[in-house]
Amino acid sequence: EESEEESPAEMTMVWIFSRRFQLSVPKLDSRRWVAQELLSDLLQVAQNLYSDSFFPVLEPVVGVGSACEGWSPEKEEDVVYCMFVPLKPPRGHAFHLEPDSVGEEMPQTSLRVRVELVCACTGEQPDRSMLCFLHRPEEELKRNQMASLLDTLCTGPYLDVEKIALWFQTFVMQAWLVVPQSHHYSLKVLPSRRSCKMKLMEASGRSFFVEAVFGVQQGDSDIFLSSQPTEAQFPPSTTWLESYAVAEAKFFLHVAVHAPPRSCHLKCLRLCARLLEGSSLSIYALKTTVMHLLTLIPLSEWQHKYLLMRVDDTLSYLHCCLEEKRLKHFFFDNEDMPKEISLPPAFQGAQPHNLFQHLAQNRAAHTKALKRLN
């Protein structure tokens, strides 16, 4: 049972950790809003520019990743504000997700997005301004209508990540002077094969990074296919990787709404990330651990005064998982999942992914990771 009173030593330690790790929060928050507003403004320009074309429809952005969740383990100058840009098919097109045999060696689930032309002649409200790609002569289409998505950003019938990234990078460079942020920052679009990485520079010389990552939704769920792999890999350009980033963002929003004021869960994440620096344990394993604990320990017990206890719980949980060589993925067969998060039906009752599977297969790596936590 946890004591309601803290010893002077505990109070001092909590104060030191709070001061040390809270300093980055205001900047994370303010720059996250700058990144989100920038992408929202760019997407508004894109909507006006491409309204009569057949490029993908760019949906409202979602801030994902540790910086947008408020706890980035990175140094301030290395923080990347990741903005997820969902893609919907344009008029006269449909997306179909297919298993990707080419990407079978990838550690993430990989799929391809097949683009199919659909009839625009019929329906409850047919678009009279659009010629049907299926039922109009090719000569008439070439003469009177812009090219279909299949002819621009696809390789064969499949949506091509690298073509989308290049298209969006070119658009950003063209649209930059139109958005209000151009009055306060200078912009450099950085090389990237599968996303759009931007460096924003203030007049003072300080800079920060924003990355637009593209995604295709799986049904009506919060699970997407992402253009960006989680590790330094180079899958084929028509391979998309299953991503839980949007679902994770919704989970942290759920916690922020229901947790007590000044909840320590973000400080706990930042502190543990610092403590585990140099270890072979991934930041994602740490994040998954804290997400599990946020559903196992009542949110009322994540008050600021319990910071050191929650840090100890996190490291102990990680240690137990390492000993068992098993850390369950948070989004598979989890009965404690908040109702606000929508998952594909196949996730319920599915065998949970083991994030420590590689340690079960590599004795040396397992021994090294376990030694770091002893």
Side-chain angles (χ1 to χ4, degrees):
E1 208 172 292
E2 293 173 347
S3 169
E4 288 295 320
E5 298 298 324
E6 295 173 286
S7 70
E10 286 176 325
M11 291 174 66
T12 302
M13 289 295 284
V14 170
W15 184 83
I16 291 172
F17 286 140
S18 297
R19 291 290 299 167
R20 174 77 183 274
F21 293 102
Q22 193 177 8
L23 292 176
S24 63
V25 174
K27 276 207 174 95
L28 283 178
D29 224 23
S30 62
R31 286 180 168 177
R32 174 173 62 86
W33 283 112
V34 171
Q36 195 137 1
E37 286 183 359
L38 168 62
L39 264 296
S40 296
D41 290 344
L42 284 170
L43 263 56
Q44 185 62 53
V45 175
Q47 187 176 347
N48 297 332
L49 186 63
Y50 300 121
S51 60
D52 292 329
S53 72
F54 298 98
F55 288 109
V57 177
L58 306 175
E59 294 282 288
V61 299
V62 181
V64 300
S66 59
C68 292
E69 291 157 1
W71 65 277
S72 177
E74 305 289 345
K75 295 177 182 177
E76 185 182 327
E77 61 270 21
D78 297 327
V79 171
V80 177
Y81 297 84
C82 186
M83 296 290 141
F84 208 81
V85 184
L87 308 178
K88 293 285 188 182
R91 299 166 299 157
H93 298 71
F95 289 165
H96 298 284
L97 309 187
E98 295 182 352
D100 178 25
S101 57
V102 180
E104 281 180 349
E105 70 281 1
M106 301 293 294
Q108 292 167 270
T109 300
S110 62
L111 293 96
R112 293 191 292 182
V113 182
R114 180 165 56 83
V115 177
E116 184 179 272
L117 297 176
V118 295
C119 179
C121 303
T122 58
E124 293 182 9
Q125 292 182 322
D127 188 344
R128 301 298 181 189
S129 64
M130 176 187 169
L131 301 176
C132 180
F133 285 109
L134 292 177
H135 299 122
R136 290 297 184 98
E138 188 174 339
E139 296 75 16
E140 183 183 5
L141 290 169
K142 286 181 178 179
R143 188 169 59 250
N144 299 316
Q145 187 159 272
M146 298 188 77
S148 77
L149 180 56
L150 282 167
D151 296 323
T152 54
L153 302 181
C154 290
T155 294
Y158 297 107
L159 205 56
D160 190 303
V161 169
E162 295 181 13
K163 290 180 180 179
I164 290 172
L166 181 59
W167 163 66
F168 193 81
Q169 290 165 17
T170 305
F171 157 70
V172 168
M173 289 186 282
Q174 293 172 341
W176 171 245
L177 293 179
V178 180
V179 297
Q181 290 79 5
S182 62
H183 301 301
H184 309 288
Y185 301 91
S186 58
L187 172 84
K188 183 177 182 181
V189 175
L190 304 174
S192 177
R193 284 172 53 178
R194 299 178 68 94
S195 64
C196 180
K197 293 181 180 178
M198 295 164 272
K199 182 179 182 181
L200 291 177
M201 292 157 283
E202 302 169 353
S204 64
R206 297 174 74 98
S207 61
F208 63 101
F209 300 92
V210 179
E211 182 174 21
V213 174
F214 312 104
V216 176
Q217 190 176 16
Q218 291 197 44
D220 296 323
S221 75
D222 293 317
I223 305 301
F224 283 73
L225 300 183
S226 170
S227 65
Q228 192 75 326
T230 54
E231 298 173 16
Q233 300 148 337
F234 297 98
S237 63
T238 55
T239 294
W240 295 70
L241 289 305
E242 193 166 69
S243 169
Y244 316 98
V246 172
E248 288 162 9
K250 288 187 73 171
F251 175 80
F252 278 96
L253 181 60
H254 164 85
V255 171
V257 169
H258 293 91
R262 298 179 69 230
S263 170
C264 69
H265 65 286
L266 297 180
K267 293 187 184 71
C268 178
L269 273 163
R270 286 198 299 279
L271 177 54
C272 288
R274 296 290 178 88
L275 293 174
L276 294 172
E277 268 183 0
S279 76
S280 57
L281 291 171
S282 70
I283 289 296
Y284 195 74
L286 168 63
K287 178 176 174 176
T288 300
T289 295
V290 173
M291 290 169 71
H292 279 301
L293 289 175
L294 283 165
T295 62
L296 294 171
I297 299 172
L299 291 178
S300 60
E301 295 180 23
W302 288 83
Q303 295 175 54
H304 183 256
K305 61 184 177 181
Y306 296 139
L307 172 61
L308 298 184
M309 293 179 180
R310 298 293 81 87
V311 168
D312 186 58
D313 289 336
T314 301
L315 298 178
S316 297
Y317 190 100
L318 262 176
H319 189 273
C320 290
C321 291
L322 275 174
E323 285 189 323
E324 296 175 5
K325 304 176 189 175
R326 182 165 187 80
L327 174 60
K328 287 174 58 177
H329 196 289
F330 186 75
F331 291 104
F332 287 83
D333 197 30
N334 188 344
E335 295 179 356
D336 299 315
M337 188 65 56
K339 294 178 180 177
E340 298 96 320
I341 297 174
S342 175
L343 300 175
F347 278 43
Q348 292 302 321
Q351 182 67 28
H353 293 188
N354 179 13
L355 299 183
F356 284 168
Q357 184 64 37
H358 65 293
L359 298 178
Q361 298 168 342
N362 187 330
R363 186 174 179 179
H366 175 247
T367 301
K368 182 180 177 182
L370 199 54
K371 185 177 180 180
R372 185 70 173 80
L373 276 182
N374 280 336

